[in-house]
Amino acid sequence: MAKDLFHQTVKQALIKEGWTITQDPLTIRIDRVRLEIDLGSEKVFAAEKDGQKIAVEIKSFINPSNVNDFHNALGQFLSYRLALQMTEPQRVLYLAVPIDIFNTFFQERFTKAAIRKYALNIIACNPNQEEIVQ
C-alpha cells in the first residue's frame, strides 16, 4: 500500500463519517517556526464536524521496522500536539493507522503503555473499505 493511497483512504473514511476536510495539509506557524506537517505523502489535515475540530496525522507503517515508524510517529505527534495547543487549543490531534497495524503492533504491551502514557488519540482505518474501524 502506497503512503499516498492510505492518506486518501483516511480522508475518504472521515468524509463518510460526516467530517469536512478544511485544510490539507495543515500548516502551523509559531513565530519563525513553521510546521508544514506534510511528510512526503503522509500529511496532517484538519477536519470539522458538529463544531468539533481535529487534526489527523496519518502513518502508513510500511517501513521494515514498526518500532522505528512508531518512534517517528510519537515524536511528530507530541511536537504537533504542542504546536496545536499553542495555536489552536480547541483542535484535537489524532494519529491514523491501518487497522492491521492497530490490531497487531498497537496491541503490544509496550505500544499500549506508550499510547496511555502520552495520551495518543488513535484512528484505526480499514484501507479496503475506506472506513474508520475504531
Side-chain angles (χ1 to χ4, degrees):
M1 172 179 18
K3 293 178 189 178
D4 59 319
L5 292 178
F6 189 61
H7 175 83
Q8 291 302 322
T9 295
V10 173
K11 278 179 60 174
Q12 289 305 314
L14 285 169
I15 290 168
K16 283 182 181 179
E17 296 268 328
W19 291 93
T20 299
I21 306 305
T22 58
Q23 292 171 283
D24 181 7
L26 173 62
T27 301
I28 303 169
R29 295 175 198 268
I30 302 171
D31 301 325
R32 290 183 286 163
V33 175
R34 180 176 179 229
L35 299 172
E36 182 168 303
I37 308 166
D38 179 359
L39 310 170
S41 296
E42 297 175 343
K43 300 177 184 176
V44 165
F45 57 85
E48 293 184 22
K49 175 183 174 184
D50 300 328
Q52 295 177 297
K53 294 182 177 185
I54 63 173
V56 181
E57 167 71 5
I58 301 170
K59 289 296 182 190
S60 301
F61 280 79
I62 60 171
N63 292 312
S65 171
N66 286 336
V67 173
N68 245 3
D69 282 346
F70 185 69
H71 287 163
N72 279 338
L74 179 59
Q76 290 166 339
F77 186 94
L78 294 175
S79 294
Y80 300 159
R81 183 168 60 194
L82 176 60
L84 283 170
Q85 288 169 349
M86 295 173 71
T87 59
E88 294 186 68
Q90 75 283 4
R91 194 177 296 277
V92 178
L93 181 62
Y94 286 84
L95 175 64
V97 298
I99 188 64
D100 61 328
I101 293 297
F102 180 81
N103 286 337
T104 56
F105 182 73
F106 276 56
Q107 300 310 309
E108 296 291 338
R109 190 165 54 119
F110 171 80
T111 313
K112 287 171 86 170
I115 290 167
R116 277 191 309 276
K117 168 91 175 157
Y118 299 109
L120 303 180
N121 300 311
I122 307 295
I123 293 174
C125 189
N126 181 326
N128 297 325
Q129 273 88 38
E130 294 183 334
E131 292 177 339
I132 295 173
V133 179
Q134 181 155 335

